Amino acid sequence: PNQIQSAELTINNLSQSISGLNGSINTLQNEIDGLNTQINQIDEELTNTELTEEQIEDLNNQKTSIENQISDTQNSLDSSQSELNTSTDQLNTANQNLNNFQAELETATASLPQLEQQLNETIESVNIGQRDSGWTTVNLDANNDGVIDENDIQ
């Protein structure tokens, strides 16, 4: 159960991380789209034959600045996408681990009646002379906390 709980917590954390990354990726893509729109507008303005050299230079400088912003934003987008891919791989692994842990728990739980029967048979087979064998099945976990320790003696 601890492995299952740990896997569930990991899955929850990764899911939240993936959700945040998807939001960041959408925001960055929207930024790039907006910047591309600005470049298209500048390109359109540059087709105006009445522009002075100074105006053309200004527009080209603006375009270069926007292209640099696009490059920086694209780098952030690529980094976020890479992080998303890694988190998605980790989520898939955590889901597989959870499925494996649950299958192991089901298998162990299903085998309990057979193991209890084997234990009872073993107790009977070693109980020579039909002595009181009640002590062999005493629950030493007196406080039922799943651990046998000094707290069970108190």
Side-chain angles (χ1 to χ4, degrees), residues 23-108:
S24 295
I25 287 169
N26 288 336
T27 299
L28 291 167
Q29 188 58 58
N30 288 338
E31 277 184 47
I32 289 173
D33 293 344
L35 292 168
N36 279 325
T37 298
Q38 290 178 27
I39 285 182
N40 290 337
Q41 290 169 345
I42 290 172
D43 285 341
E44 182 66 31
E45 288 180 46
L46 285 170
T47 62
N48 182 350
T49 56
E50 296 177 9
L51 291 176
T52 65
E53 288 294 320
E54 186 177 313
Q55 289 172 321
I56 292 172
E57 185 178 340
D58 265 356
L59 287 171
N60 281 327
N61 287 339
Q62 287 177 23
K63 185 176 176 179
T64 300
S65 175
I66 293 170
E67 288 170 341
N68 289 337
Q69 288 177 343
I70 289 174
S71 177
D72 291 344
T73 306
Q74 185 63 52
N75 288 339
S76 295
L77 178 62
D78 292 345
S79 175
S80 293
Q81 187 63 53
S82 176
E83 191 175 342
L84 175 64
N85 292 342
T86 299
S87 293
T88 301
D89 289 345
Q90 290 173 340
L91 178 62
N92 291 337
T93 299
N95 275 318
Q96 185 59 50
N97 288 342
L98 177 60
N99 291 337
N100 291 343
F101 295 147
Q102 288 171 331
E104 288 173 16
L105 179 60
E106 289 172 14
T107 300

Side-chain angles (χ1 to χ4, degrees), residues 101-145:
F101 295 147
Q102 288 171 331
E104 288 173 16
L105 179 60
E106 289 172 14
T107 300
T109 302
S111 69
L112 282 177
Q114 180 184 2
L115 293 172
E116 287 175 350
Q117 179 62 33
Q118 288 174 351
L119 176 62
N120 288 333
E121 289 170 5
T122 301
I123 289 170
E124 286 302 314
S125 72
V126 296
N127 189 11
I128 300 169
Q130 299 303 317
R131 295 175 285 182
D132 177 18
S133 62
W135 65 270
T136 59
T137 57
V138 170
N139 181 4
L140 298 177
D141 185 14
N143 62 2
N144 292 320
D145 64 355

Side-chain angles (χ1 to χ4, degrees), residues 140-141 143 145 147-154:
L140 298 177
D141 185 14
N143 62 2
D145 64 355
V147 178
I148 299 171
D149 57 15
E150 58 266 354
N151 293 329
D152 295 301
I153 299 171
Q154 301 172 352

